[in-house]
Amino acid sequence: MGVWIGLAVVLFVVGSIMALKPNSKDMQLDKLRMTARKLGLTPKLVACPDWIIGQYGEKGKGMIAEYGLILPNAKLPPCEYQVIDGKWRPYTENYTANFALDNEIINLPESIKATVKGLSLKANFICLYWQENIDIISKNNSEQSENILNQLKLHLQEYANKVQNY
């Protein structure tokens, strides 16, 4: 009887330890975020803002990735853009409309473009909201992933310049 109890305790402890181990998807997302941090982006997983249409078609539900870029010398007006039919469209309920990117086709790497939900600018910070995609890492090696994130950073800088100079 004592052997069975001991075996049950050991199995319980081993099972608890195995449950704490992160799965491969979480490890790949962590690698993607660490690469983004290395390039100067600030990745976060945040609650979906109420103006963004979420992964399942409802506004402001669930979690979404926010990849931001701090631009030290920028003076950006507060504004938000939604993705509608593959184009940036200003969202005007929170801030005054800024039409600098209105109807502009989203110009981002294909692996990111498919899951982009919105863009927000304020003061010296621009951030992109998207459903993180581990295909960036799983289909590409780390050098290509870094390249894709570098392109994202350049496009964020380009968007910020357009809005600032509008």
Side-chain angles (χ1 to χ4, degrees), residues 9-165:
V9 169
V10 168
L11 288 175
F12 178 76
V13 170
V14 169
S16 297
I17 291 171
M18 294 303 288
L20 294 175
K21 183 180 174 194
N23 63 25
S24 64
K25 180 182 176 184
D26 290 339
M27 291 180 359
Q28 288 177 330
L29 285 174
D30 185 52
K31 184 177 179 184
L32 180 66
R33 292 175 187 148
M34 292 306 291
T35 302
R37 281 186 185 93
K38 186 175 84 171
L39 296 173
L41 294 168
T42 56
K44 290 190 244 178
L45 190 62
V46 298
C48 188
D50 62 354
W51 57 274
I52 290 182
I53 298 170
Q55 187 173 6
Y56 303 109
E58 68 284 346
K59 283 189 171 187
K61 299 278 184 179
M63 301 296 283
I64 193 164
E66 174 190 277
Y67 278 53
L69 180 64
I70 296 172
L71 303 163
N73 299 323
K75 291 179 176 67
L76 303 169
C79 56
E80 298 164 332
Y81 292 91
Q82 289 179 313
V83 176
I84 299 175
D85 296 328
K87 296 178 182 177
W88 294 119
R89 298 306 314 259
Y91 181 78
T92 59
E93 289 186 27
N94 295 333
Y95 302 110
T96 305
N98 183 310
F99 295 99
L101 301 177
D102 188 26
N103 274 322
E104 185 173 316
I105 294 174
I106 297 172
N107 185 18
L108 292 169
E110 286 300 319
S111 53
I112 294 174
K113 183 179 181 177
T115 61
V116 169
K117 301 294 183 180
L119 184 71
S120 178
L121 298 94
K122 190 185 263 188
N124 67 342
F125 186 70
I126 180 171
C127 64
L128 180 84
Y129 296 99
W130 66 302
Q131 297 295 330
E132 279 178 314
N133 187 345
I134 63 167
D135 291 341
I136 291 176
I137 293 174
S138 59
K139 291 183 180 174
N140 303 306
N141 63 32
S142 60
E143 186 176 312
Q144 288 172 325
S145 301
E146 190 170 324
N147 227 5
I148 290 169
L149 289 171
N150 253 330
Q151 289 176 31
L152 172 63
K153 182 178 176 182
L154 291 173
H155 288 297
L156 287 176
Q157 290 171 333
E158 177 185 317
Y159 290 146
N161 287 337
K162 284 182 182 180
V163 170
Q164 183 174 340
N165 297 326

